Amino acid sequence: MLYEYDALSSRRVPDAVVFPETTAEVSAIVKLAASAGLPVIARGAGTGLSGGAVVIEGGLVVSLARMKKILEIDIENERARVQPGVVNYDVSLAVADFGYCYVPDPSSQKACTIGGNVAENSGGPHTLCAGVTTNHVLGLEVVLPDGSVIHTGASHWDRPGYDLTGLMVGSEGTLGIVTEITVRLTRLPEAVKTLLAVYDRVSDATATVAAVTARGITPAALEMMDGFMLRAIEAATHAGYPLDAAAVLLLEIEGLKEEVEETSFELEAVATENHARSVRTARSAEERDLLWRGRKNAFGAIGRLAPNYYVQDGVIPRTRLVQMLDYIGEVEQRFGLHIGNIFHAGDGNLHPLILFDGRDPEQRKRVVQAAEAIMTRCVELGGSITGEHGVGIEKNELMPLIFSEDDLEMMRRIKSVFNPQALLNPGKVMPSGKVCGELRIQVN
Amino acid sequence: MRGAAADIQTDLTAIAGDGSASIEPDACAAYAVDGVTPSCVLSPATPEQAAELLLSVADRGLAVIPCGNGTKLGIGAPPQRYDAALSLRELNRTTYYEPDDLVVSVEPGMTLGVLQQMLAGRGLWLPLDPAGGERATIGGILAANSAGPLRMRYGGPRDMVLGMKIATADGKIVKTGGRVVKNVAGYDLAKLVIGSHGTLGVIVEATFKLYPRIATRATWAIEIDSLDAGREFRRRLLASPLRPMRAVLLNASARTLVQSANREVTGSRRMMIWIEAGGSASVIARYERELSGLAAHMNASLKPAGNSEDAEVWKGLADFGNRLASQRHTAVVLRAALPIAATEEFLKRAEQHGRVEGLEVAGVAQLGVGAVEIGLSSIPSPEQRVPNPTNVEKLRRLAADLGGSLIVTHCPVELKPRIDVWGPRGDDYETMRRLKEAWDPSFILARGRMIGAFESGRAMT
Ligand SMILES: Cc1cc2nc3c(=O)[nH]c(=O)nc-3n(C[C@H](O)[C@H](O)[C@H](O)COP(=O)(O)OP(=O)(O)OC[C@H]3O[C@@H](n4cnc5c(N)ncnc54)[C@H](O)[C@@H]3O)c2cc1C
């Protein structure tokens, strides 16, 4: 029986929420909680999509929202030191005048925090060619569940010893609370070009993505939206997307002027070969911003179409895109649900959005079944159940789809080194062995 | 001794199957590490066999060191126990190749050269230029997270691995990550194993994301007079829109070393910057124009390297440490990791230190990366005196003063026990030690080389 997610959200009330401003305060709070045997859950902006910051059995929520100082910007060393509550976009904003940016740009970048990004190893449209969060973090300050403070990595590459930074990134707040982050900054490109390729058939758009990958063309970003999403977005954002298209690809190229010219020429040719109806180039910074605003506000736009939606985060080899989209179409039919497709196509990271009415328990049951069918198919095609949103409490019971008991055992050993009492973010990431079959996260 | 070794060998042969374990003295000697020769060489032919071997090693209370082609085996404290070399050379197959998805999985014994050759057939490559170059095995590159100057543009090995299979000390094969370019399911065990120098698990398969081969590449040389000029060049380069593939600065001694293998030494005492860029003809022309401008700022000129010279320079660089160590048996090779802006200053201070101590300092700085390789040897008769181990500590302090750290990658066997390879522990050391214990409770993997070393009382701090 599908659980009552509204009821559940009311059951998940923390015992207290604290807003520390310093590492010492975080450490003191964690120590206190440990001595009282209380769970501790770190929280950034709460934009996570896998229920990572959700309170399961009560406990203390440590909000990092007030630790939002950019502590140091060091352009010559291409790095910045920030507190975990700093909003992702603010880092790029702070260094833009120097001609730099912080690469990982989740669509939620105007709200989500660097601490949350580190916890989830977040990606974004521009991580296609430049790498996700883990590729842009040099060092961390971490408060362990016993209140001790450690410093992993450094403010440069290659500190001797194990790469604990690499292990912490993506650990979803289950190994420690990150209280400071040294990120790499990247020089802004000389030239940027944004293209919108318009298709009358979804399969032509996916075929274009496969061809771009196979030919080794590396755009900075390669996003896809289907017609259903386009119309929803256009109604909400007026981004200038064609209303009658079956799908569009949003492509961006960065680099030296010469490189951008050549690559955009190649991309246009591939799109045309794959029956793009038109390929439009953004002519101004405003037009470019508008195209991206549409993409980045897409989830919000869906709110106009259905009371609720459930975002998936599967990944597949890019050679399987056409097959996968066909399958999602089948799932839509089979379960009688609307599914919008919007995703980081260049990475093979899909975000099918399942629309439904959460007030209808029967629909909710179908949503869960549809989601599981999609995730299972991703795994069958050689992919993964999550590309960037994390496991959280949403997919922890699905971990055995991709990991054996031996694989999980090595992860558990790591967890027990850092978090032996499981007081830090309990019930997340690792499967508990309970049967799944319910919608475990609160949907929008 | 031989008897015990023969017992071990008999035991291990039974598991490994005929021919996959050897006690031949010559075979064993080839796998000596820091003067310690193993009694046996194990050469599993499959990942499963590797895992079974580990289990039986653990059961018998023995210790192994996973080995590839040995280009980076010098890195680490002397082993506290070393019964068998686990040679991964025969584990060298391609297990998955999807060129259209830019993904490949290979076993650890494959050399980078063989992999690159296979990838070239489909216009792809793995942009890595580790120590040891093409001879380096994939397993060794990952175990050492060995990145060369290409890291400026492409990142290092840790940034290219999508997934991995690891044989554990308790004889299991575990998987982490996958074969897709984005994946956040579960802890990133690969990050932990990459750079752990064989102390946590044995990499038995690694999956990489691939890159399209660059159509045309060009290398240029700029001769400069001082490290200050080098610093100025690096600053201007990083502040420009250019994104070269790699750039290095060699001091005069390093230049002689790297180039002497290929042709007559010019005898020039000047420093050299080598820089490589790739792209279409018009992109290369743009680089040439702008780099000429940058060189002119320092009253230097840009010289294109010829095609063959081009490749030789980068090859020579990848072999810098190994070549130095084999040419001068007294040489100590160090690797400093520094903030990007501190590289030239570190090299400068190291040179000063060398002048005071009567040591020759050969230095290669990877620009835009923050890595500096330093070869120390005594002058005027390089073959005779082993540098005093205090030099390592002095240079380590210089690196620390600039916000960096330093490890020893090559040093004479007799010096090793008196040298701290890794440097001071951080406040995260206890966590590292517990991770080692959690994954390898009997310390069968490279015992004492990285973590145990600190317990042996050998560490300086
Ligand atoms: C509209 C929308 C678009 C999105 N687009 C993307 C996208 O393009 N790419 C992408 O990757 N994600 C995306 N997300 C998901 C989400 O924004 C990211 O996962 C983000 O990194 C979460 O950051 P947060 O600050 O909101 O963290 P929260 O949601 O508050 O927390 C997430 C997890 O991190 C842990 N955590 C938070 N701070 C810390 C800390 N300091 N130390 C330790 N653990 C901590 C929490 O315990 C929790 O497990 C999107 C979400 C929305 C709503």
Side-chain angles (χ1 to χ4, degrees), chain A residues 101-440:
Chain A
C101 72
Y102 173 63
V103 166
D105 61 337
S107 302
S108 52
Q109 71 184 137
K110 291 196 174 152
C112 66
T113 65
I114 299 291
N117 295 170
V118 166
E120 302 289 5
N121 190 13
S122 302
H126 289 86
T127 53
L128 168 60
C129 112
V132 295
T133 300
T134 193
N135 308 115
H136 298 271
V137 173
L138 292 167
L140 301 172
E141 180 184 76
V142 182
V143 174
L144 297 179
D146 64 358
S148 60
V149 180
I150 63 169
H151 297 81
T152 72
S155 56
H156 55 79
W157 269 320
D158 275 353
R159 200 184 118 219
Y162 297 156
D163 182 2
L164 300 188
T165 306
L167 183 62
M168 284 298 307
V169 176
S171 63
E172 305 192 21
T174 63
L175 300 184
I177 299 184
V178 175
T179 48
E180 199 179 297
I181 303 116
T182 303
V183 296
R184 284 176 59 206
L185 302 174
T186 303
R187 181 137 192 103
L188 287 167
E190 174 185 55
V192 180
K193 202 164 181 176
T194 309
L195 307 176
L196 188 75
V198 182
Y199 297 85
D200 288 327
R201 282 197 327 217
V202 174
S203 58
D204 289 334
T206 40
T208 303
V209 176
V212 166
T213 312
R215 292 203 201 168
I217 308 172
T218 33
L222 172 44
E223 300 285 307
M224 176 171 155
M225 289 166 265
D226 71 10
F228 179 76
M229 289 303 301
L230 282 177
R231 288 179 279 279
I233 294 169
E234 199 49 31
T237 309
H238 309 294
Y241 298 155
L243 289 173
D244 60 338
V248 298
L249 294 179
L250 188 55
L251 298 130
E252 194 153 275
I253 313 127
E254 294 180 353
L256 290 179
K257 280 186 233 120
E258 292 85 348
E259 289 167 336
V260 168
E261 279 315 308
E262 288 159 12
T263 310
S264 73
F265 195 73
E266 279 179 89
L267 284 174
E268 239 185 284
V270 177
T272 310
E273 271 168 43
N274 285 282
H275 319 293
R277 182 171 85 193
S278 67
V279 181
R280 192 177 105 200
T281 306
R283 302 211 177 280
S284 63
E286 292 74 47
E287 198 178 339
R288 180 176 165 249
D289 283 350
L290 206 54
L291 287 175
W292 276 112
R293 203 175 316 147
R295 164 64 186 91
K296 295 207 169 178
N297 293 340
F299 293 177
I302 284 296
R304 302 163 72 100
L305 298 184
N308 303 89
Y309 66 89
Y310 182 29
V311 190
Q312 306 297 294
D313 183 36
V315 199
I316 50 160
R318 292 160 290 192
T319 43
R320 306 301 187 100
L321 273 167
V322 179
Q323 239 173 307
M324 188 66 207
L325 275 231
D326 283 351
Y327 182 76
I328 292 173
E330 273 171 42
V331 169
E332 215 176 353
Q333 298 286 313
R334 183 163 12 126
F335 295 98
L337 294 161
H338 266 305
I339 303 181
N341 281 297
I342 178 154
F343 53 91
H344 308 306
D347 285 322
N349 186 188
L350 315 175
H351 291 325
L353 280 132
I354 309 176
L355 274 56
F356 67 106
D357 182 345
R359 290 163 299 193
D360 175 357
E362 197 278 328
Q363 266 195 49
R364 293 210 301 275
K365 195 180 276 173
R366 277 188 278 138
V367 169
V368 175
Q369 288 166 348
E372 273 207 47
I374 291 172
M375 276 188 264
T376 307
R377 189 79 182 129
C378 285
V379 174
E380 284 167 1
L381 293 176
S384 172
I385 55 175
T386 175
E388 56 179 21
H389 294 166
V391 175
I393 52 168
E394 180 202 14
K395 293 174 287 256
N396 57 338
E397 307 305 346
L398 294 177
M399 289 278 275
L401 274 182
I402 46 177
F403 292 117
S404 72
E405 190 42 44
D406 289 341
D407 303 341
L408 294 170
E409 166 59 21
M410 292 316 263
M411 292 186 203
R412 279 192 205 101
R413 288 193 202 171
I414 287 174
K415 187 170 167 187
S416 66
V417 164
F418 284 86
N419 186 10
Q421 259 81 56
L423 282 181
L424 198 60
N425 215 3
K428 314 289 166 66
V429 184
M430 303 304 292
S432 67
K434 287 187 203 118
V435 202
C436 194
E438 16 175 79
L439 193 50
R440 304 200 65 208

